[in-house]
Amino acid sequence: MRRFLLGILLVGLLSTRLQAQGDVRISALAWAPNGLYLAIGTSDSVQVYNAEAESPVLLWQVETEQPVRTVLFNPSGEWLAAGLGSGTGLDTGLVLVWMMAVERGGTKVSASSSVSSV
């Protein structure tokens, strides 16, 4: 329950921050299994926040060319995956995977259509 309430507060704060950047919308979010990190997918990026701070602290952000449809940590929290695609079926979907010990980078895996879940 605590994580749920904290998530609502964090998403509210982050939505306000993102609205200040223009037409950026939150489209997906996922908690790391340890509860320390919150991954957010937007219309143009993947962002990871430290959720233990009083106010959410952006740890890293990766810009994307397609909207993020879903984000998911693996059960150990070592990996973060994001599924990208417009959802129209007219583009090639993309799955990005990051090792959480690495701040930036990742492995790109092409998909044959838009990704709707990981």
Side-chain angles (χ1 to χ4, degrees):
M1 183 66 161
R2 178 182 180 271
R3 191 170 12 172
F4 175 74
L5 294 174
L6 182 59
I8 290 172
L9 291 172
L10 287 174
V11 169
L13 286 169
L14 298 174
S15 292
T16 303
R17 286 184 189 176
L18 291 172
Q19 286 174 357
Q21 296 175 13
D23 191 26
V24 178
R25 296 187 178 121
I26 294 175
S27 55
L29 61 91
W31 284 99
N34 62 10
L36 297 177
Y37 307 109
L38 179 65
I40 293 183
T42 72
S43 51
D44 67 359
S45 69
V46 174
Q47 304 171 8
V48 176
Y49 289 85
N50 177 344
E52 288 293 303
E54 291 262 336
S55 180
V57 175
L58 180 64
L59 297 176
W60 56 266
Q61 175 176 334
V62 176
E63 302 290 323
T64 60
E65 293 181 14
Q66 298 178 6
V68 177
R69 309 270 296 163
T70 185
V71 289
L72 179 70
F73 286 95
N74 76 323
S76 69
E78 296 177 58
W79 297 89
L80 172 65
L84 285 64
S86 68
T88 63
L90 300 176
D91 58 0
T92 300
L94 191 67
V95 175
L96 302 175
V97 179
W98 296 272
M99 186 174 183
M100 288 303 294
V102 179
E103 287 190 36
R104 286 204 175 252
T107 302
K108 294 184 179 184
V109 181
S110 292
S112 61
S113 62
S114 293
V115 177
S116 60
S117 65
V118 178

